[in-house]
Coordinates of all heavy atoms in Angstrom, one line a residue:
Chain A
E131 N 22.5 9.4 4.3 CA 23.2 9.5 3.1 C 22.8 10.7 2.2 O 23.6 11.2 1.4 CB 23.1 8.2 2.2 CG 23.6 7.0 2.9 CD 25.1 7.1 3.4 OE1 25.9 7.6 2.6 OE2 25.4 6.7 4.5
I132 N 21.5 11.1 2.3 CA 21.0 12.1 1.4 C 21.8 13.4 1.6 O 22.1 14.0 0.6 CB 19.5 12.4 1.8 CG1 18.7 11.1 1.7 CG2 18.9 13.4 0.7 CD1 17.3 11.3 2.2
S133 N 22.1 13.8 2.8 CA 22.8 15.0 3.0 C 24.3 14.9 2.7 O 25.1 15.9 2.8 CB 22.6 15.6 4.4 OG 22.9 14.6 5.4
K134 N 24.8 13.7 2.4 CA 26.2 13.5 2.1 C 26.5 13.5 0.6 O 27.6 13.2 0.2 CB 26.7 12.1 2.7 CG 26.7 12.1 4.2 CD 27.1 10.8 4.8 CE 26.9 10.7 6.3 NZ 27.0 9.4 6.8
Q135 N 25.4 13.8 -0.2 CA 25.6 13.9 -1.6 C 26.3 15.2 -2.0 O 26.6 15.4 -3.2 CB 24.3 13.8 -2.3 CG 23.6 12.5 -2.1 CD 22.2 12.3 -2.8 OE1 22.2 11.7 -3.8 NE2 21.2 13.0 -2.4
G136 N 26.4 16.1 -1.1 CA 27.1 17.4 -1.4 C 26.3 18.4 -2.2 O 26.8 19.2 -2.9
F137 N 25.0 18.3 -1.9 CA 24.1 19.3 -2.6 C 23.8 20.4 -1.6 O 23.2 20.2 -0.6 CB 22.8 18.6 -3.0 CG 23.0 17.5 -4.0 CD1 22.1 16.5 -4.1 CD2 24.0 17.6 -4.9 CE1 22.3 15.4 -5.0 CE2 24.2 16.6 -5.9 CZ 23.3 15.5 -5.9
D138 N 24.2 21.7 -2.0 CA 23.9 22.8 -1.0 C 22.5 23.3 -1.1 O 22.1 24.2 -0.4 CB 24.9 23.9 -1.3 CG 24.7 24.5 -2.6 OD1 24.1 23.9 -3.5 OD2 25.3 25.7 -2.8
T139 N 21.7 22.7 -1.9 CA 20.3 23.1 -2.0 C 19.4 22.2 -1.1 O 18.2 22.4 -0.9 CB 19.7 22.9 -3.4 OG1 20.1 21.6 -3.8 CG2 20.3 23.9 -4.3
F140 N 20.0 21.2 -0.4 CA 19.2 20.3 0.4 C 19.2 20.7 1.9 O 20.3 21.0 2.5 CB 19.8 18.9 0.3 CG 19.2 17.9 1.2 CD1 17.9 17.3 0.8 CD2 19.7 17.5 2.4 CE1 17.3 16.4 1.7 CE2 19.1 16.6 3.2 CZ 17.9 16.1 2.9
F141 N 18.1 20.7 2.5 CA 17.9 21.0 3.9 C 17.0 20.0 4.5 O 16.1 19.5 3.9 CB 17.5 22.4 4.1 CG 18.4 23.5 3.5 CD1 18.1 23.9 2.2 CD2 19.5 23.9 4.2 CE1 19.0 24.8 1.6 CE2 20.4 24.8 3.5 CZ 20.1 25.3 2.3
R142 N 17.1 19.9 5.9 CA 16.3 18.9 6.5 C 16.0 19.3 7.9 O 16.9 19.8 8.6 CB 17.1 17.5 6.5 CG 16.7 16.5 7.6 CD 17.0 15.1 7.1 NE 18.4 14.8 6.9 CZ 18.9 13.8 6.3 NH1 18.0 12.9 5.8 NH2 20.2 13.6 6.2
V143 N 14.7 19.3 8.3 CA 14.3 19.8 9.7 C 14.1 18.7 10.7 O 13.7 18.9 11.8 CB 13.0 20.6 9.6 CG1 13.2 21.9 8.8 CG2 11.9 19.8 9.0
C144 N 14.4 17.4 10.3 CA 14.2 16.3 11.3 C 15.5 15.6 11.6 O 16.5 15.9 10.8 CB 13.2 15.3 10.7 SG 13.7 14.6 9.1
A145 N 15.6 14.8 12.6 CA 16.8 14.1 12.9 C 17.0 13.0 11.9 O 16.2 12.7 11.0 CB 16.6 13.4 14.3
T146 N 18.2 12.4 11.9 CA 18.5 11.4 10.9 C 18.6 10.0 11.5 O 18.7 9.8 12.7 CB 19.9 11.7 10.2 OG1 20.8 12.1 11.2 CG2 19.7 12.8 9.2
D147 N 18.7 9.0 10.7 CA 18.7 7.6 11.1 C 20.0 7.2 11.8 O 20.0 6.2 12.6 CB 18.4 6.6 10.0 CG 17.0 6.8 9.5 OD1 16.2 7.3 10.3 OD2 16.7 6.5 8.3
D148 N 21.1 7.9 11.6 CA 22.3 7.5 12.3 C 22.2 8.0 13.7 O 23.1 7.7 14.6 CB 23.6 8.1 11.6 CG 23.5 9.5 11.2 OD1 22.4 10.1 11.5 OD2 24.4 10.0 10.6
L149 N 21.2 8.8 14.0 CA 20.9 9.1 15.4 C 19.7 8.3 15.9 O 19.7 7.7 17.0 CB 20.5 10.6 15.5 CG 20.3 11.1 16.9 CD1 21.6 11.2 17.7 CD2 19.6 12.5 16.9
Q150 N 18.7 8.2 15.0 CA 17.4 7.5 15.4 C 17.7 6.0 15.7 O 17.2 5.4 16.7 CB 16.4 7.6 14.3 CG 15.1 6.9 14.6 CD 14.0 7.2 13.6 OE1 12.9 7.2 14.0 NE2 14.3 7.4 12.4
G151 N 18.5 5.3 14.8 CA 18.8 3.9 14.9 C 19.5 3.6 16.3 O 19.0 2.8 17.0
P152 N 20.6 4.2 16.5 CA 21.3 4.0 17.8 C 20.4 4.3 19.0 O 20.4 3.6 20.0 CB 22.5 4.9 17.7 CG 22.8 5.1 16.3 CD 21.4 5.1 15.6
K153 N 19.7 5.4 19.0 CA 18.8 5.8 20.1 C 17.8 4.7 20.3 O 17.5 4.3 21.5 CB 18.1 7.1 19.9 CG 19.0 8.3 19.9 CD 19.3 8.7 21.3 CE 20.1 10.0 21.3 NZ 20.8 10.2 22.6
A154 N 17.2 4.1 19.2 CA 16.2 3.1 19.4 C 16.9 1.8 20.0 O 16.3 1.2 20.8 CB 15.6 2.8 18.0
A155 N 18.1 1.5 19.5 CA 18.8 0.4 20.0 C 19.1 0.5 21.5 O 18.9 -0.4 22.3 CB 20.1 0.2 19.3
Q156 N 19.5 1.7 21.9 CA 19.8 1.9 23.4 C 18.5 1.7 24.2 O 18.5 1.1 25.2 CB 20.3 3.4 23.6 CG 21.7 3.5 23.4 CD 22.1 5.0 23.3 OE1 21.4 5.9 23.8 NE2 23.2 5.3 22.6
F157 N 17.4 2.3 23.7 CA 16.2 2.2 24.4 C 15.7 0.7 24.5 O 15.3 0.2 25.5 CB 15.1 3.0 23.7 CG 13.8 3.0 24.4 CD1 13.5 3.9 25.4 CD2 12.7 2.1 24.1 CE1 12.3 4.0 26.1 CE2 11.5 2.2 24.8 CZ 11.3 3.1 25.8
A158 N 15.9 0.0 23.4 CA 15.5 -1.4 23.4 C 16.3 -2.2 24.4 O 15.8 -3.1 25.1 CB 15.6 -2.0 22.0
F159 N 17.6 -1.9 24.4 CA 18.5 -2.7 25.2 C 18.4 -2.3 26.7 O 18.2 -3.2 27.5 CB 20.0 -2.5 24.8 CG 21.0 -3.4 25.4 CD1 21.2 -4.7 24.7 CD2 21.6 -3.1 26.5 CE1 22.1 -5.6 25.3 CE2 22.5 -4.0 27.1 CZ 22.8 -5.3 26.5
N160 N 18.4 -1.1 27.0 CA 18.4 -0.6 28.4 C 17.0 -0.6 29.0 O 16.8 -1.1 30.1 CB 19.0 0.8 28.5 CG 20.5 0.7 28.1 OD1 21.2 -0.3 28.2 ND2 20.9 1.8 27.5
E161 N 16.0 0.0 28.3 CA 14.7 0.2 28.9 C 13.8 -1.0 28.7 O 13.1 -1.4 29.6 CB 14.0 1.4 28.3 CG 14.9 2.6 28.1 CD 14.9 3.5 29.4 OE1 13.8 3.7 29.9 OE2 16.0 4.0 29.7
L162 N 13.9 -1.7 27.6 CA 13.0 -2.8 27.3 C 13.7 -4.1 27.7 O 13.0 -5.2 27.8 CB 12.6 -2.9 25.9 CG 11.8 -1.7 25.3 CD1 11.5 -1.9 23.8 CD2 10.6 -1.4 26.1
G163 N 15.0 -4.1 28.0 CA 15.7 -5.2 28.4 C 15.8 -6.3 27.3 O 16.0 -7.5 27.6
A164 N 15.7 -5.9 26.0 CA 15.8 -6.8 24.9 C 17.3 -7.2 24.7 O 18.2 -6.4 24.8 CB 15.3 -6.2 23.7
R165 N 17.5 -8.5 24.6 CA 18.9 -9.0 24.3 C 19.0 -9.7 22.9 O 20.0 -9.7 22.3 CB 19.3 -10.0 25.4 CG 19.5 -9.4 26.8 CD 20.6 -8.4 26.8 NE 20.7 -7.7 28.1 CZ 20.2 -6.6 28.4 NH1 19.4 -5.9 27.4 NH2 20.3 -6.0 29.5
K166 N 17.8 -10.3 22.5 CA 17.8 -10.9 21.2 C 16.8 -10.3 20.3 O 15.6 -10.2 20.7 CB 17.5 -12.4 21.3 CG 18.5 -13.2 22.2 CD 18.1 -14.7 22.2 CE 16.8 -14.9 23.0 NZ 16.2 -16.2 22.9
V167 N 17.2 -9.7 19.2 CA 16.2 -9.1 18.3 C 16.2 -9.8 16.9 O 17.2 -10.3 16.5 CB 16.4 -7.6 18.1 CG1 16.2 -6.8 19.4 CG2 17.7 -7.3 17.4
F168 N 15.1 -9.8 16.3 CA 15.0 -10.1 14.8 C 14.7 -8.8 14.1 O 13.8 -8.1 14.5 CB 14.0 -11.2 14.6 CG 14.2 -11.8 13.2 CD1 14.9 -13.0 13.1 CD2 13.7 -11.2 12.0 CE1 15.1 -13.6 11.8 CE2 14.0 -11.7 10.8 CZ 14.7 -13.0 10.7
I169 N 15.4 -8.6 13.0 CA 15.2 -7.3 12.3 C 14.6 -7.6 10.9 O 15.0 -8.5 10.2 CB 16.5 -6.6 12.1 CG1 17.1 -6.3 13.5 CG2 16.4 -5.3 11.4 CD1 18.5 -5.6 13.5
I170 N 13.5 -6.8 10.6 CA 12.9 -6.9 9.3 C 13.0 -5.5 8.7 O 12.8 -4.6 9.4 CB 11.4 -7.4 9.4 CG1 11.3 -8.7 10.2 CG2 10.8 -7.5 8.1 CD1 9.8 -9.1 10.5
D171 N 13.3 -5.4 7.4 CA 13.2 -4.1 6.8 C 12.5 -4.2 5.4 O 12.3 -5.3 4.9 CB 14.5 -3.4 6.7 CG 15.5 -4.0 5.7 OD1 15.1 -4.1 4.5 OD2 16.6 -4.4 6.0
D172 N 12.1 -3.1 4.9 CA 11.4 -3.1 3.6 C 12.2 -2.8 2.4 O 11.7 -2.5 1.3 CB 10.2 -2.1 3.7 CG 10.6 -0.7 3.8 OD1 11.9 -0.4 3.8 OD2 9.8 0.2 3.8
K173 N 13.6 -3.0 2.6 CA 14.5 -2.9 1.5 C 14.6 -1.5 0.8 O 15.2 -1.4 -0.2 CB 14.2 -3.9 0.4 CG 14.4 -5.4 0.8 CD 14.3 -6.3 -0.3 CE 12.8 -6.5 -0.7 NZ 12.6 -7.5 -1.7
T174 N 14.0 -0.5 1.4 CA 14.0 0.8 0.8 C 15.2 1.6 1.4 O 15.8 1.1 2.4 CB 12.8 1.7 1.1 OG1 12.7 1.8 2.6 CG2 11.5 1.0 0.6
T175 N 15.6 2.7 0.9 CA 16.7 3.5 1.4 C 16.5 3.8 2.9 O 17.4 3.6 3.7 CB 16.7 4.9 0.6 OG1 16.7 4.6 -0.8 CG2 18.0 5.6 0.9
Y176 N 15.3 4.2 3.2 CA 14.9 4.5 4.6 C 15.0 3.2 5.5 O 15.7 3.1 6.5 CB 13.6 5.2 4.7 CG 13.0 5.1 6.1 CD1 13.5 5.9 7.1 CD2 11.9 4.3 6.3 CE1 13.0 5.9 8.4 CE2 11.3 4.3 7.6 CZ 11.9 5.0 8.6 OH 11.3 5.0 9.9
G177 N 14.2 2.2 5.1 CA 14.0 1.0 5.9 C 15.3 0.3 6.2 O 15.6 -0.1 7.3
K178 N 16.0 0.1 5.1 CA 17.3 -0.6 5.2 C 18.3 0.2 6.0 O 19.0 -0.3 6.8 CB 17.8 -1.0 3.8 CG 19.1 -1.7 3.7 CD 19.0 -3.0 3.1 CE 20.2 -3.9 3.0 NZ 21.2 -3.7 4.1
G179 N 18.4 1.5 5.7 CA 19.3 2.4 6.4 C 19.1 2.4 7.9 O 20.0 2.2 8.7
L180 N 17.8 2.5 8.2 CA 17.5 2.6 9.6 C 17.8 1.3 10.4 O 18.4 1.3 11.4 CB 16.0 3.0 9.8 CG 15.5 3.0 11.3 CD1 16.2 4.0 12.1 CD2 14.0 3.2 11.3
S181 N 17.4 0.2 9.7 CA 17.6 -1.1 10.5 C 19.1 -1.4 10.5 O 19.5 -2.1 11.5 CB 16.7 -2.2 9.9 OG 16.8 -2.2 8.5
D182 N 19.9 -1.0 9.5 CA 21.3 -1.3 9.6 C 21.9 -0.5 10.8 O 22.8 -1.0 11.5 CB 22.0 -0.9 8.3 CG 21.8 -1.9 7.2 OD1 21.2 -3.0 7.5 OD2 22.1 -1.6 6.0
E183 N 21.5 0.8 10.9 CA 22.0 1.6 12.0 C 21.6 1.0 13.4 O 22.4 0.9 14.3 CB 21.4 3.0 12.0 CG 21.9 3.8 10.8 CD 23.4 4.2 10.9 OE1 23.9 4.1 12.0 OE2 23.9 4.7 9.9
F184 N 20.3 0.5 13.4 CA 19.8 -0.1 14.6 C 20.7 -1.4 15.0 O 21.1 -1.6 16.1 CB 18.4 -0.5 14.5 CG 17.8 -1.2 15.7 CD1 17.2 -0.5 16.7 CD2 17.8 -2.6 15.8 CE1 16.7 -1.2 17.8 CE2 17.3 -3.3 16.9 CZ 16.8 -2.6 17.9
A185 N 20.9 -2.2 13.9 CA 21.6 -3.5 14.2 C 23.0 -3.2 14.7 O 23.5 -3.8 15.7 CB 21.7 -4.3 12.9
K186 N 23.7 -2.2 14.0 CA 25.1 -1.9 14.4 C 25.1 -1.5 15.9 O 25.9 -2.0 16.7 CB 25.6 -0.7 13.5 CG 26.9 -0.9 13.0 CD 27.3 0.0 11.9 CE 26.8 1.4 12.0 NZ 27.1 2.3 10.9
A187 N 24.2 -0.6 16.3 CA 24.2 -0.1 17.6 C 23.8 -1.2 18.6 O 24.3 -1.2 19.7 CB 23.3 1.1 17.7
F188 N 22.9 -2.0 18.2 CA 22.4 -3.0 19.1 C 23.5 -4.1 19.4 O 23.7 -4.5 20.6 CB 21.2 -3.7 18.6 CG 20.4 -4.5 19.6 CD1 19.6 -3.9 20.5 CD2 20.5 -5.9 19.6 CE1 18.9 -4.6 21.4 CE2 19.8 -6.7 20.5 CZ 19.0 -6.0 21.5
I189 N 24.2 -4.4 18.4 CA 25.3 -5.4 18.6 C 26.4 -4.7 19.5 O 27.0 -5.3 20.4 CB 25.9 -5.8 17.3 CG1 24.8 -6.7 16.5 CG2 27.2 -6.7 17.4 CD1 25.2 -7.0 15.1
A190 N 26.7 -3.4 19.2 CA 27.7 -2.7 20.0 C 27.4 -2.7 21.5 O 28.3 -2.7 22.3 CB 27.9 -1.3 19.4
Q191 N 26.1 -2.6 21.8 CA 25.6 -2.6 23.1 C 25.8 -4.0 23.8 O 25.7 -4.1 25.0 CB 24.1 -2.3 23.2 CG 23.7 -1.0 22.7 CD 23.4 -0.1 23.9 OE1 22.6 -0.5 24.8 NE2 23.9 1.1 23.9
G192 N 26.0 -5.0 23.0 CA 26.1 -6.4 23.5 C 24.9 -7.2 23.3 O 24.8 -8.3 23.8
G193 N 24.0 -6.7 22.5 CA 22.8 -7.5 22.1 C 23.1 -8.5 21.0 O 24.2 -8.4 20.3
Q194 N 22.2 -9.3 20.7 CA 22.3 -10.3 19.6 C 21.3 -10.1 18.6 O 20.1 -9.9 18.9 CB 22.2 -11.7 20.3 CG 22.5 -12.8 19.3 CD 22.0 -14.2 19.9 OE1 21.6 -14.3 21.0 NE2 22.2 -15.2 19.1
V195 N 21.7 -10.1 17.3 CA 20.7 -10.0 16.2 C 20.5 -11.4 15.6 O 21.4 -12.0 15.1 CB 21.2 -9.0 15.1 CG1 20.3 -9.0 13.9 CG2 21.3 -7.6 15.7
L196 N 19.3 -11.9 15.8 CA 19.0 -13.3 15.4 C 19.0 -13.5 13.9 O 19.2 -14.5 13.4 CB 17.7 -13.8 16.0 CG 17.7 -13.8 17.5 CD1 16.2 -14.0 18.0 CD2 18.6 -14.8 18.1
G197 N 18.6 -12.4 13.2 CA 18.5 -12.5 11.8 C 18.0 -11.1 11.2 O 17.5 -10.3 12.0
H198 N 18.2 -10.9 10.0 CA 17.8 -9.6 9.3 C 17.3 -10.0 8.0 O 18.1 -10.4 7.1 CB 19.1 -8.7 9.3 CG 18.8 -7.3 8.9 ND1 19.6 -6.3 9.1 CD2 17.7 -6.8 8.2 CE1 19.1 -5.2 8.6 NE2 17.9 -5.5 8.1
Q199 N 16.0 -9.8 7.7 CA 15.4 -10.1 6.4 C 14.6 -9.0 5.9 O 14.1 -8.2 6.6 CB 14.5 -11.4 6.6 CG 15.3 -12.7 6.6 CD 14.8 -13.6 5.5 OE1 13.7 -13.6 5.1 NE2 15.7 -14.5 5.1
G200 N 14.6 -9.0 4.5 CA 13.8 -8.0 3.9 C 12.4 -8.4 3.4 O 12.2 -9.6 3.3
I201 N 11.5 -7.5 3.3 CA 10.2 -7.8 2.7 C 9.9 -6.8 1.6 O 10.7 -5.9 1.4 CB 9.1 -7.7 3.8 CG1 9.2 -6.4 4.6 CG2 9.2 -8.9 4.8 CD1 8.0 -5.6 4.6
T202 N 8.8 -6.9 0.9 CA 8.6 -6.0 -0.2 C 7.4 -5.1 0.2 O 6.4 -5.5 0.7 CB 8.2 -6.8 -1.4 OG1 9.2 -7.8 -1.6 CG2 8.1 -5.9 -2.7
Q203 N 7.7 -3.8 -0.1 CA 6.6 -2.8 0.1 C 5.4 -3.2 -0.7 O 5.5 -3.5 -1.8 CB 7.1 -1.4 -0.3 CG 7.4 -0.5 0.9 CD 7.6 0.9 0.5 OE1 7.4 1.3 -0.6 NE2 8.1 1.7 1.5
G204 N 4.2 -3.1 0.0 CA 3.0 -3.4 -0.7 C 2.5 -4.9 -0.5 O 1.4 -5.2 -0.9
D205 N 3.4 -5.7 0.0 CA 3.1 -7.1 0.3 C 2.1 -7.2 1.4 O 2.1 -6.2 2.3 CB 4.4 -7.8 0.6 CG 4.4 -9.2 0.0 OD1 3.3 -9.6 -0.5 OD2 5.4 -9.9 0.0
K206 N 1.4 -8.3 1.5 CA 0.4 -8.3 2.6 C 0.6 -9.5 3.5 O 0.0 -9.6 4.6 CB -1.0 -8.4 2.0 CG -1.4 -7.1 1.2 CD -2.8 -6.8 1.5 CE -3.0 -5.3 1.2 NZ -4.4 -4.9 1.4
D207 N 1.2 -10.6 3.0 CA 1.3 -11.8 3.8 C 2.7 -12.0 4.3 O 3.6 -12.3 3.5 CB 0.9 -13.0 2.9 CG 0.7 -14.2 3.7 OD1 0.7 -14.1 5.0 OD2 0.4 -15.3 3.1
F208 N 2.9 -11.8 5.6 CA 4.2 -12.0 6.2 C 4.3 -13.2 7.1 O 5.3 -13.4 7.8 CB 4.6 -10.7 6.9 CG 4.5 -9.5 6.1 CD1 3.6 -8.5 6.4 CD2 5.4 -9.3 5.0 CE1 3.4 -7.4 5.6 CE2 5.3 -8.2 4.2 CZ 4.3 -7.2 4.5
T209 N 3.3 -14.0 7.0 CA 3.2 -15.2 7.9 C 4.4 -16.2 7.7 O 4.9 -16.7 8.6 CB 1.9 -15.9 7.8 OG1 1.5 -16.1 6.5 CG2 0.8 -15.1 8.5
P210 N 4.8 -16.4 6.4 CA 6.0 -17.3 6.3 C 7.2 -16.9 7.0 O 7.8 -17.7 7.8 CB 6.2 -17.4 4.8 CG 4.9 -17.0 4.1 CD 4.3 -16.0 5.1

Side-chain angles (χ1 to χ4, degrees):
Chain A
E131 301 302 318
I132 306 172
S133 52
K134 292 178 188 163
Q135 297 182 104
F137 298 149
D138 65 344
T139 49
F140 175 80
F141 302 93
R142 157 153 66 193
V143 293
C144 56
T146 43
D147 293 337
D148 48 2
L149 185 72
Q150 182 175 209
K153 290 279 185 198
Q156 276 166 26
F157 185 84
F159 192 87
N160 297 328
E161 316 269 321
L162 301 180
R165 292 297 175 266
K166 297 183 293 174
V167 296
F168 196 98
I169 301 176
I170 306 174
D171 73 56
D172 66 0
K173 294 185 284 183
T174 62
T175 311
Y176 162 70
K178 177 117 184 31
L180 174 63
S181 45
D182 284 349
E183 294 288 348
F184 177 89
K186 225 167 34 187
F188 195 76
I189 293 168
Q191 294 255 315
Q194 188 193 354
V195 174
L196 299 170
H198 189 162
Q199 278 234 335
I201 50 124
T202 308
Q203 253 189 9
D205 219 351
K206 294 221 158 178
D207 193 7
F208 307 110
T209 48

